[in-house]
Amino acid sequence: DASVSWRSNGDKEYTAENTASFDAIHSGEWRRYSVEITLEQTLGKFKISPSNSIGNIEIRNIEMTTLDGYYIRDWPIRI
Protein backbone atom coordinates (compact mmCIF):
# COMPACT_ATOMS: atom_id res chain seq x y z
CA ASP A 1 0.00 0.00 0.00
CA ALA A 2 2.80 2.46 0.89
CA SER A 3 6.56 2.37 0.36
CA VAL A 4 9.90 4.07 0.88
CA SER A 5 12.55 3.81 -1.84
CA TRP A 6 16.16 4.96 -1.63
CA ARG A 7 19.23 5.42 -3.79
CA SER A 8 22.90 5.60 -2.98
CA ASN A 9 24.90 8.55 -4.28
CA GLY A 10 26.04 6.64 -7.38
CA ASP A 11 22.65 5.10 -8.26
CA LYS A 12 20.70 6.60 -11.13
CA GLU A 13 17.36 4.87 -10.47
CA TYR A 14 15.26 3.51 -7.63
CA THR A 15 15.11 -0.29 -7.66
CA ALA A 16 12.82 -2.94 -6.19
CA GLU A 17 15.74 -4.15 -4.04
CA ASN A 18 15.91 -0.69 -2.46
CA THR A 19 12.21 -0.40 -1.70
CA ALA A 20 10.51 -1.21 1.61
CA SER A 21 6.72 -1.56 1.60
CA PHE A 22 4.40 -1.16 4.57
CA ASP A 23 0.67 -1.09 5.24
CA ALA A 24 -0.71 2.42 5.72
CA ILE A 25 -3.84 2.61 7.87
CA HIS A 26 -6.43 5.04 6.53
CA SER A 27 -8.34 6.14 9.62
CA GLY A 28 -8.07 9.93 9.71
CA GLU A 29 -5.82 9.72 12.82
CA TRP A 30 -2.11 10.55 13.06
CA ARG A 31 0.09 7.46 13.01
CA ARG A 32 3.79 6.77 13.32
CA TYR A 33 5.39 4.37 10.85
CA SER A 34 8.87 2.89 11.07
CA VAL A 35 10.52 1.51 7.96
CA GLU A 36 13.83 -0.34 8.11
CA ILE A 37 16.23 0.16 5.22
CA THR A 38 19.67 -1.35 4.68
CA LEU A 39 22.38 0.91 3.32
CA GLU A 40 25.55 -0.47 1.80
CA GLN A 41 26.69 2.99 0.66
CA THR A 42 25.93 6.58 1.58
CA LEU A 43 22.26 7.51 1.21
CA GLY A 44 21.79 9.81 -1.78
CA LYS A 45 18.02 10.27 -2.08
CA PHE A 46 14.83 8.71 -0.83
CA LYS A 47 11.20 8.99 -1.81
CA ILE A 48 7.98 8.19 -0.03
CA SER A 49 5.00 6.74 -1.86
CA PRO A 50 2.39 7.18 0.89
CA SER A 51 -0.49 5.25 -0.68
CA ASN A 52 -2.11 4.11 -3.86
CA SER A 53 -5.60 4.57 -2.37
CA ILE A 54 -7.93 7.51 -2.92
CA GLY A 55 -7.82 10.21 -0.25
CA ASN A 56 -5.52 12.72 1.42
CA ILE A 57 -2.25 11.91 3.14
CA GLU A 58 -0.50 14.35 5.48
CA ILE A 59 3.10 13.93 6.61
CA ARG A 60 4.17 15.84 9.70
CA ASN A 61 7.80 14.79 10.10
CA ILE A 62 10.38 12.38 8.71
CA GLU A 63 13.07 11.18 11.12
CA MET A 64 16.10 9.00 10.43
CA THR A 65 17.74 6.93 13.15
CA THR A 66 19.98 3.89 13.35
CA LEU A 67 18.48 0.54 14.38
CA ASP A 68 19.60 1.16 17.97
CA GLY A 69 17.84 4.54 18.05
CA TYR A 70 20.79 6.88 17.42
CA TYR A 71 19.39 10.09 15.91
CA ILE A 72 20.76 11.02 12.47
CA ARG A 73 18.46 13.84 11.29
CA ASP A 74 14.88 14.82 10.66
CA TRP A 75 12.87 16.74 8.13
CA PRO A 76 9.98 18.61 9.78
CA ILE A 77 7.18 19.44 7.37
CA ARG A 78 5.87 22.98 7.77
CA ILE A 79 2.63 23.96 6.09
Side-chain angles (χ1 to χ4, degrees):
D1 186 40
S3 65
V4 174
S5 300
W6 62 95
R7 300 182 339 196
S8 296
N9 280 333
D11 295 339
K12 296 190 184 326
E13 297 182 18
Y14 294 100
T15 63
E17 294 83 24
N18 289 349
T19 298
S21 298
F22 60 98
D23 291 326
I25 300 170
H26 303 276
S27 67
E29 297 179 20
W30 285 104
R31 302 213 179 258
R32 176 182 289 255
Y33 295 97
S34 296
V35 179
E36 183 178 324
I37 65 174
T38 302
L39 297 174
E40 295 180 13
Q41 297 178 356
T42 302
L43 177 65
K45 296 182 178 185
F46 68 93
K47 70 176 180 176
I48 300 170
S49 301
S51 179
N52 57 10
S53 299
I54 296 172
N56 295 324
I57 301 286
E58 294 183 43
I59 298 174
R60 183 182 300 168
N61 188 54
I62 300 167
E63 182 177 272
M64 185 176 290
T65 64
T66 61
L67 283 176
D68 58 359
Y70 179 79
Y71 171 84
I72 296 173
R73 76 167 287 182
D74 66 354
W75 295 266
I77 311 295
R78 299 199 197 326
I79 298 175

Coordinates of all heavy atoms in Angstrom, one line a residue:
D1 N 0.8 -1.2 0.0 CA 0.0 0.0 0.0 C 0.9 1.3 0.0 O 0.6 2.2 -0.8 CB -0.9 -0.1 1.2 CG -1.9 1.1 1.2 OD1 -2.5 1.4 0.2 OD2 -2.2 1.6 2.3
A2 N 1.9 1.3 0.8 CA 2.8 2.5 0.9 C 4.2 1.9 0.8 O 4.5 0.8 1.1 CB 2.6 3.2 2.2
S3 N 5.2 2.8 0.5 CA 6.6 2.4 0.4 C 7.5 3.5 0.5 O 7.2 4.7 0.3 CB 6.8 1.6 -1.0 OG 6.7 2.5 -2.0
V4 N 8.8 3.2 0.9 CA 9.9 4.1 0.9 C 11.0 3.5 0.0 O 11.3 2.3 0.1 CB 10.5 4.2 2.3 CG1 11.7 5.1 2.3 CG2 9.4 4.8 3.2
S5 N 11.5 4.3 -0.9 CA 12.6 3.8 -1.8 C 13.8 4.7 -1.6 O 13.6 5.9 -1.3 CB 12.1 3.9 -3.3 OG 11.0 3.1 -3.5
W6 N 15.0 4.2 -1.8 CA 16.2 5.0 -1.6 C 17.2 4.6 -2.7 O 17.2 3.6 -3.3 CB 16.7 4.7 -0.2 CG 17.1 3.3 0.0 CD1 18.4 2.8 -0.1 CD2 16.3 2.3 0.5 NE1 18.4 1.5 0.2 CE2 17.1 1.1 0.6 CE3 15.0 2.1 0.8 CZ2 16.6 -0.1 1.0 CZ3 14.5 0.9 1.2 CH2 15.3 -0.2 1.3
R7 N 18.1 5.6 -2.9 CA 19.2 5.4 -3.8 C 20.5 5.8 -3.1 O 20.5 6.8 -2.3 CB 19.1 6.3 -5.0 CG 17.8 6.1 -5.8 CD 17.7 6.9 -7.0 NE 18.4 8.1 -7.1 CZ 18.2 9.1 -8.0 NH1 17.2 8.9 -8.8 NH2 18.9 10.2 -8.0
S8 N 21.6 5.2 -3.4 CA 22.9 5.6 -3.0 C 23.4 6.7 -3.9 O 22.8 7.0 -4.9 CB 23.9 4.4 -3.0 OG 23.5 3.4 -2.1
N9 N 24.4 7.4 -3.5 CA 24.9 8.6 -4.3 C 25.2 8.2 -5.7 O 24.9 9.0 -6.6 CB 26.1 9.2 -3.6 CG 25.8 10.1 -2.5 OD1 24.7 10.6 -2.4 ND2 26.7 10.2 -1.5
G10 N 25.7 7.0 -6.0 CA 26.0 6.6 -7.4 C 24.9 6.1 -8.2 O 25.0 5.9 -9.4
D11 N 23.8 5.7 -7.6 CA 22.7 5.1 -8.3 C 21.9 6.1 -9.1 O 21.7 7.2 -8.6 CB 21.7 4.4 -7.3 CG 22.3 3.3 -6.5 OD1 23.3 2.7 -7.0 OD2 21.8 2.9 -5.4
K12 N 21.5 5.7 -10.3 CA 20.7 6.6 -11.1 C 19.2 6.4 -11.0 O 18.4 7.3 -11.3 CB 21.1 6.4 -12.6 CG 22.6 6.8 -12.8 CD 22.9 6.9 -14.3 CE 24.3 7.1 -14.6 NZ 25.1 8.0 -13.8
E13 N 18.8 5.2 -10.5 CA 17.4 4.9 -10.5 C 17.0 4.2 -9.1 O 17.9 3.6 -8.5 CB 17.0 3.9 -11.6 CG 17.1 4.5 -13.0 CD 16.7 3.6 -14.1 OE1 16.0 2.6 -13.8 OE2 17.1 3.8 -15.2
Y14 N 15.8 4.3 -8.8 CA 15.3 3.5 -7.6 C 15.0 2.1 -8.1 O 14.5 1.9 -9.2 CB 14.0 4.1 -7.1 CG 14.2 5.5 -6.5 CD1 13.8 6.6 -7.3 CD2 14.6 5.7 -5.2 CE1 14.0 7.9 -6.7 CE2 14.8 7.0 -4.7 CZ 14.5 8.1 -5.5 OH 14.7 9.3 -4.9
T15 N 15.3 1.1 -7.3 CA 15.1 -0.3 -7.7 C 14.2 -1.0 -6.7 O 14.0 -0.5 -5.5 CB 16.5 -1.0 -7.7 OG1 17.0 -1.1 -6.4 CG2 17.4 -0.4 -8.7
A16 N 13.7 -2.1 -7.1 CA 12.8 -2.9 -6.2 C 13.6 -3.4 -5.0 O 13.1 -3.5 -3.9 CB 12.2 -4.1 -7.0
E17 N 14.9 -3.7 -5.2 CA 15.7 -4.1 -4.0 C 15.9 -3.1 -3.0 O 16.2 -3.4 -1.8 CB 17.1 -4.6 -4.5 CG 17.1 -5.8 -5.4 CD 16.8 -5.5 -6.9 OE1 17.0 -4.3 -7.3 OE2 16.3 -6.4 -7.6
N18 N 15.8 -1.8 -3.4 CA 15.9 -0.7 -2.5 C 14.6 0.0 -2.2 O 14.4 1.2 -2.2 CB 16.9 0.3 -3.0 CG 18.3 -0.2 -3.0 OD1 18.6 -1.2 -2.4 ND2 19.2 0.5 -3.6
T19 N 13.6 -0.9 -2.0 CA 12.2 -0.4 -1.7 C 11.7 -1.2 -0.6 O 11.8 -2.5 -0.6 CB 11.3 -0.5 -2.9 OG1 11.8 0.3 -4.0 CG2 9.9 -0.1 -2.6
A20 N 11.1 -0.5 0.5 CA 10.5 -1.2 1.6 C 9.0 -0.8 1.6 O 8.7 0.4 1.7 CB 11.2 -0.8 2.9
S21 N 8.2 -1.8 1.6 CA 6.7 -1.6 1.6 C 6.2 -1.7 3.0 O 6.7 -2.5 3.8 CB 6.0 -2.5 0.7 OG 6.5 -2.4 -0.7
F22 N 5.1 -1.0 3.3 CA 4.4 -1.2 4.6 C 2.9 -0.8 4.4 O 2.5 -0.2 3.4 CB 5.0 -0.2 5.6 CG 5.0 1.2 5.3 CD1 4.0 2.0 5.8 CD2 6.0 1.8 4.5 CE1 4.0 3.4 5.5 CE2 5.9 3.2 4.2 CZ 4.9 4.0 4.7
D23 N 2.1 -1.3 5.3 CA 0.7 -1.1 5.2 C 0.3 0.2 5.9 O 0.6 0.4 7.1 CB -0.1 -2.2 5.9 CG 0.0 -3.5 5.2 OD1 0.0 -3.5 3.9 OD2 0.0 -4.6 5.8
A24 N -0.2 1.1 5.2 CA -0.7 2.4 5.7 C -2.2 2.3 6.1 O -3.0 1.7 5.4 CB -0.6 3.5 4.7
I25 N -2.5 2.7 7.3 CA -3.8 2.6 7.9 C -4.6 3.9 7.6 O -4.1 5.0 8.0 CB -3.8 2.3 9.4 CG1 -3.1 1.0 9.6 CG2 -5.2 2.3 9.9 CD1 -2.8 0.7 11.0
H26 N -5.7 3.9 6.9 CA -6.4 5.0 6.5 C -7.6 5.2 7.5 O -8.7 4.7 7.3 CB -7.0 4.9 5.1 CG -5.9 4.6 4.1 ND1 -5.2 5.7 3.5 CD2 -5.4 3.5 3.6 CE1 -4.3 5.2 2.7 NE2 -4.4 3.9 2.7
S27 N -7.3 6.0 8.6 CA -8.3 6.1 9.6 C -8.6 7.6 9.9 O -9.5 7.9 10.7 CB -7.9 5.4 10.9 OG -6.7 6.1 11.4
G28 N -7.9 8.5 9.4 CA -8.1 9.9 9.7 C -7.3 10.3 11.0 O -7.4 11.5 11.4
E29 N -6.6 9.4 11.6 CA -5.8 9.7 12.8 C -4.3 9.7 12.5 O -3.9 9.1 11.5 CB -6.1 8.7 13.9 CG -7.5 8.6 14.4 CD -7.7 7.5 15.4 OE1 -6.7 7.1 16.0 OE2 -8.9 7.1 15.6
W30 N -3.6 10.5 13.2 CA -2.1 10.6 13.1 C -1.5 9.2 13.5 O -1.9 8.6 14.5 CB -1.5 11.7 13.9 CG -1.7 13.0 13.3 CD1 -2.6 14.0 13.8 CD2 -1.0 13.6 12.2 NE1 -2.5 15.1 13.0 CE2 -1.6 14.9 12.0 CE3 -0.1 13.2 11.3 CZ2 -1.1 15.7 11.0 CZ3 0.4 14.0 10.3 CH2 -0.2 15.3 10.2
R31 N -0.6 8.7 12.7 CA 0.1 7.5 13.0 C 1.6 7.6 12.8 O 2.0 8.4 12.0 CB -0.4 6.4 12.1 CG -1.9 6.2 12.2 CD -2.3 4.7 12.0 NE -3.7 4.6 12.1 CZ -4.3 4.1 13.2 NH1 -3.6 3.7 14.2 NH2 -5.6 3.9 13.2
R32 N 2.3 6.8 13.5 CA 3.8 6.8 13.3 C 4.2 5.5 12.6 O 3.7 4.4 13.1 CB 4.5 6.8 14.7 CG 6.0 6.7 14.6 CD 6.6 6.8 15.9 NE 6.5 8.1 16.5 CZ 7.6 9.0 16.6 NH1 8.7 8.6 16.1 NH2 7.4 10.1 17.1
Y33 N 4.9 5.5 11.6 CA 5.4 4.4 10.9 C 6.9 4.3 10.9 O 7.6 5.3 10.8 CB 5.0 4.4 9.4 CG 3.5 4.4 9.2 CD1 2.7 5.5 9.0 CD2 2.8 3.1 9.2 CE1 1.3 5.5 8.9 CE2 1.4 3.1 9.0 CZ 0.7 4.2 8.9 OH -0.6 4.2 8.7
S34 N 7.4 3.1 11.1 CA 8.9 2.9 11.1 C 9.2 1.9 9.9 O 8.5 0.9 9.8 CB 9.4 2.3 12.4 OG 9.2 3.2 13.4
V35 N 10.1 2.3 9.1 CA 10.5 1.5 8.0 C 12.0 1.3 8.0 O 12.8 2.2 8.1 CB 10.2 2.2 6.6 CG1 10.6 1.4 5.4 CG2 8.7 2.5 6.6
E36 N 12.4 0.0 8.0 CA 13.8 -0.3 8.1 C 14.4 -0.4 6.7 O 13.9 -1.1 5.8 CB 14.0 -1.7 8.8 CG 15.4 -2.1 9.0 CD 15.5 -3.4 9.8 OE1 14.7 -3.6 10.7 OE2 16.4 -4.2 9.5
I37 N 15.5 0.3 6.5 CA 16.2 0.2 5.2 C 17.7 -0.2 5.5 O 18.2 0.1 6.6 CB 16.2 1.5 4.4 CG1 16.9 2.6 5.1 CG2 14.7 1.9 4.1 CD1 17.0 3.9 4.3
T38 N 18.3 -0.9 4.5 CA 19.7 -1.4 4.7 C 20.5 -0.6 3.7 O 20.2 -0.6 2.5 CB 19.8 -2.9 4.4 OG1 19.0 -3.6 5.3 CG2 21.2 -3.3 4.6
L39 N 21.5 0.1 4.2 CA 22.4 0.9 3.3 C 23.7 0.3 3.2 O 24.4 -0.1 4.3 CB 22.5 2.3 3.9 CG 21.3 3.2 3.9 CD1 21.6 4.5 4.6 CD2 20.7 3.4 2.5
E40 N 24.2 0.0 2.0 CA 25.6 -0.5 1.8 C 26.5 0.7 1.4 O 27.7 0.5 1.4 CB 25.5 -1.6 0.7 CG 24.7 -2.8 1.2 CD 24.7 -3.9 0.2 OE1 25.5 -3.8 -0.8 OE2 23.9 -4.8 0.4
Q41 N 25.9 1.8 1.0 CA 26.7 3.0 0.7 C 26.0 4.2 1.3 O 24.9 4.1 1.9 CB 26.8 3.1 -0.9 CG 27.6 2.0 -1.5 CD 27.6 2.2 -3.0 OE1 27.0 3.1 -3.6 NE2 28.3 1.3 -3.7
T42 N 26.5 5.4 1.1 CA 25.9 6.6 1.6 C 24.6 6.8 0.9 O 24.4 6.7 -0.3 CB 26.9 7.8 1.3 OG1 28.1 7.5 1.9 CG2 26.3 9.1 1.9
L43 N 23.6 7.2 1.7 CA 22.3 7.5 1.2 C 22.3 8.8 0.3 O 22.9 9.8 0.8 CB 21.3 7.7 2.4 CG 19.9 8.2 2.0 CD1 19.2 7.0 1.2 CD2 19.1 8.5 3.2
G44 N 21.8 8.7 -0.9 CA 21.8 9.8 -1.8 C 20.4 10.5 -1.8 O 20.3 11.7 -1.5
K45 N 19.4 9.7 -2.0 CA 18.0 10.3 -2.1 C 17.1 9.2 -1.6 O 17.3 8.0 -1.7 CB 17.6 10.7 -3.5 CG 18.4 11.8 -4.1 CD 18.0 12.2 -5.4 CE 18.8 13.4 -6.0 NZ 18.3 13.9 -7.2
F46 N 15.9 9.7 -1.1 CA 14.8 8.7 -0.8 C 13.5 9.3 -1.2 O 13.4 10.6 -1.3 CB 14.8 8.3 0.6 CG 14.5 9.3 1.6 CD1 13.2 9.5 2.0 CD2 15.4 10.1 2.2 CE1 12.8 10.4 3.0 CE2 15.1 11.1 3.1 CZ 13.8 11.2 3.5
K47 N 12.5 8.5 -1.5 CA 11.2 9.0 -1.8 C 10.2 8.2 -1.0 O 10.4 7.0 -0.8 CB 10.9 8.9 -3.3 CG 10.8 7.6 -3.9 CD 10.4 7.6 -5.4 CE 10.2 6.2 -5.9 NZ 9.8 6.3 -7.3
I48 N 9.1 8.8 -0.7 CA 8.0 8.2 0.0 C 6.8 8.1 -1.0 O 6.4 9.1 -1.6 CB 7.6 9.0 1.2 CG1 8.8 9.1 2.2 CG2 6.4 8.4 1.9 CD1 8.6 10.0 3.3
S49 N 6.2 6.9 -1.1 CA 5.0 6.7 -1.9 C 4.0 6.4 -0.8 O 3.9 5.2 -0.4 CB 5.2 5.6 -2.9 OG 6.2 5.9 -3.8
P50 N 3.2 7.4 -0.3 CA 2.4 7.2 0.9 C 1.2 6.2 0.7 O 0.8 5.6 1.7 CB 1.9 8.6 1.3 CG 2.1 9.4 0.1 CD 3.2 8.8 -0.8
S51 N 0.7 6.1 -0.5 CA -0.5 5.2 -0.7 C -0.9 5.2 -2.1 O -0.6 6.2 -2.9 CB -1.7 5.7 0.2 OG -2.8 4.9 0.0
N52 N -1.5 4.2 -2.5 CA -2.1 4.1 -3.9 C -3.6 4.1 -3.8 O -4.3 3.9 -4.7 CB -1.6 2.9 -4.6 CG -1.9 1.6 -3.9 OD1 -2.6 1.5 -3.0 ND2 -1.4 0.5 -4.4
S53 N -4.2 4.5 -2.6 CA -5.6 4.6 -2.4 C -6.1 6.0 -2.6 O -5.3 6.9 -2.5 CB -6.0 4.1 -0.9 OG -5.6 2.8 -0.7
I54 N -7.3 6.2 -2.8 CA -7.9 7.5 -2.9 C -8.0 8.2 -1.6 O -8.3 7.5 -0.6 CB -9.3 7.4 -3.6 CG1 -9.2 6.8 -5.0 CG2 -10.0 8.7 -3.6 CD1 -10.5 6.5 -5.6
G55 N -7.7 9.5 -1.5 CA -7.8 10.2 -0.2 C -6.6 11.1 0.0 O -5.7 11.1 -0.9
N56 N -6.6 11.8 1.1 CA -5.5 12.7 1.4 C -4.6 12.1 2.4 O -5.0 11.4 3.3 CB -6.1 14.0 2.0 CG -6.9 14.8 1.1 OD1 -6.6 14.8 -0.1 ND2 -8.0 15.4 1.5
I57 N -3.3 12.4 2.2 CA -2.2 11.9 3.1 C -1.5 13.2 3.6 O -1.2 14.0 2.8 CB -1.2 11.0 2.4 CG1 -1.9 9.8 1.9 CG2 -0.1 10.6 3.3 CD1 -2.3 8.7 2.9
E58 N -1.3 13.3 4.9 CA -0.5 14.4 5.5 C 0.7 13.8 6.2 O 0.6 12.8 6.9 CB -1.3 15.2 6.5 CG -2.5 15.9 5.8 CD -3.3 16.8 6.8 OE1 -2.6 17.4 7.6 OE2 -4.5 16.7 6.7
I59 N 1.9 14.4 6.0 CA 3.1 13.9 6.6 C 3.6 15.1 7.5 O 3.7 16.2 7.0 CB 4.2 13.5 5.6 CG1 3.7 12.4 4.8 CG2 5.5 13.2 6.3 CD1 4.6 12.0 3.6
R60 N 3.8 14.8 8.8 CA 4.2 15.8 9.7 C 5.7 15.9 9.9 O 6.2 17.0 10.0 CB 3.5 15.6 11.1 CG 3.8 16.6 12.1 CD 3.3 16.3 13.4 NE 1.8 16.2 13.4 CZ 1.1 15.7 14.3 NH1 1.6 15.3 15.5 NH2 -0.2 15.6 14.2
N61 N 6.4 14.8 9.8 CA 7.8 14.8 10.1 C 8.4 13.5 9.6 O 7.7 12.5 9.5 CB 8.1 14.9 11.6 CG 9.5 15.1 11.9 OD1 10.1 16.0 11.4 ND2 10.1 14.2 12.8
I62 N 9.6 13.6 9.1 CA 10.4 12.4 8.7 C 11.6 12.4 9.6 O 12.3 13.4 9.7 CB 10.8 12.4 7.2 CG1 9.5 12.5 6.4 CG2 11.6 11.2 6.8 CD1 9.8 12.9 4.9
E63 N 11.9 11.3 10.2 CA 13.1 11.2 11.1 C 13.9 10.0 10.7 O 13.3 8.9 10.5 CB 12.6 11.1 12.6 CG 13.8 11.0 13.6 CD 13.3 11.0 15.0 OE1 13.0 12.1 15.6 OE2 13.1 9.9 15.5
M64 N 15.2 10.1 10.7 CA 16.1 9.0 10.4 C 16.9 8.7 11.7 O 17.5 9.6 12.3 CB 17.0 9.4 9.3 CG 17.9 8.2 8.8 SD 18.9 8.7 7.3 CE 17.6 8.8 6.1
T65 N 16.9 7.4 12.0 CA 17.7 6.9 13.2 C 18.4 5.6 12.7 O 18.0 5.0 11.8 CB 16.9 6.6 14.4 OG1 16.0 5.6 14.1 CG2 16.1 7.9 14.9
T66 N 19.4 5.2 13.5 CA 20.0 3.9 13.3 C 19.1 2.9 14.0 O 18.1 3.2 14.7 CB 21.4 3.8 14.0 OG1 21.2 4.0 15.4 CG2 22.3 4.8 13.4
L67 N 19.3 1.6 13.8 CA 18.5 0.5 14.4 C 18.5 0.6 15.9 O 17.5 0.3 16.5 CB 19.0 -0.8 13.9 CG 18.5 -1.3 12.5 CD1 19.2 -2.6 12.2 CD2 17.0 -1.3 12.4
D68 N 19.6 1.1 16.5 CA 19.6 1.2 18.0 C 19.1 2.5 18.5 O 19.3 2.8 19.7 CB 21.0 0.8 18.5 CG 22.1 1.7 18.0 OD1 21.8 2.6 17.1 OD2 23.2 1.6 18.4
G69 N 18.5 3.3 17.6 CA 17.8 4.5 18.1 C 18.7 5.8 18.0 O 18.3 6.9 18.4
Y70 N 19.9 5.7 17.5 CA 20.8 6.9 17.4 C 20.2 7.8 16.4 O 20.0 7.5 15.2 CB 22.2 6.5 17.1 CG 23.2 7.6 16.9 CD1 23.7 8.2 18.0 CD2 23.5 8.1 15.7 CE1 24.6 9.3 17.9 CE2 24.4 9.2 15.5 CZ 24.9 9.8 16.6 OH 25.8 10.8 16.5
Y71 N 20.0 9.1 16.8 CA 19.4 10.1 15.9 C 20.4 10.5 14.8 O 21.5 10.8 15.1 CB 19.0 11.3 16.8 CG 18.5 12.5 16.0 CD1 17.3 12.6 15.5 CD2 19.4 13.5 15.7 CE1 16.9 13.7 14.7 CE2 19.1 14.6 14.9 CZ 17.8 14.7 14.5 OH 17.4 15.8 13.7
I72 N 19.9 10.5 13.6 CA 20.8 11.0 12.5 C 20.3 12.4 12.0 O 21.0 13.4 12.0 CB 20.7 10.0 11.3 CG1 21.4 8.7 11.7 CG2 21.5 10.6 10.1 CD1 21.3 7.6 10.7
R73 N 19.0 12.5 11.6 CA 18.5 13.8 11.3 C 17.0 13.7 11.1 O 16.4 12.6 11.0 CB 19.1 14.4 10.1 CG 18.7 13.8 8.7 CD 19.2 14.6 7.5 NE 18.4 15.8 7.4 CZ 18.5 16.7 6.5 NH1 19.4 16.6 5.5 NH2 17.7 17.8 6.4
D74 N 16.3 14.8 11.0 CA 14.9 14.8 10.7 C 14.5 15.9 9.7 O 15.3 16.8 9.4 CB 14.0 14.9 11.9 CG 14.1 16.2 12.6 OD1 14.9 17.1 12.3 OD2 13.3 16.4 13.6
W75 N 13.4 15.8 9.1 CA 12.9 16.7 8.1 C 11.5 17.1 8.6 O 10.5 16.5 8.2 CB 12.8 16.1 6.7 CG 14.1 15.8 6.1 CD1 14.9 16.5 5.3 CD2 14.9 14.5 6.3 NE1 16.0 15.9 5.0 CE2 16.0 14.7 5.6 CE3 14.6 13.4 7.0 CZ2 17.0 13.6 5.5 CZ3 15.6 12.3 6.9 CH2 16.7 12.5 6.2
P76 N 11.3 18.2 9.4 CA 10.0 18.6 9.8 C 9.3 19.2 8.6 O 9.9 19.9 7.7 CB 10.2 19.6 10.9 CG 11.6 20.0 10.8 CD 12.4 19.0 10.0
I77 N 8.0 18.9 8.5 CA 7.2 19.4 7.4 C 6.4 20.6 7.9 O 5.6 20.5 8.8 CB 6.2 18.4 6.8 CG1 6.9 17.0 6.5 CG2 5.5 18.9 5.6 CD1 8.0 17.1 5.5
R78 N 6.6 21.8 7.3 CA 5.9 23.0 7.8 C 4.9 23.4 6.7 O 5.3 23.6 5.5 CB 6.8 24.1 8.1 CG 7.8 23.7 9.2 CD 8.5 24.9 9.8 NE 9.6 24.8 10.5 CZ 10.0 23.8 11.3 NH1 9.3 22.7 11.5 NH2 11.1 23.8 12.0
I79 N 3.7 23.6 7.1 CA 2.6 24.0 6.1 C 2.2 25.4 6.4 O 2.0 25.8 7.5 CB 1.4 23.0 6.1 CG1 2.0 21.6 5.7 CG2 0.3 23.4 5.2 CD1 0.9 20.5 5.8

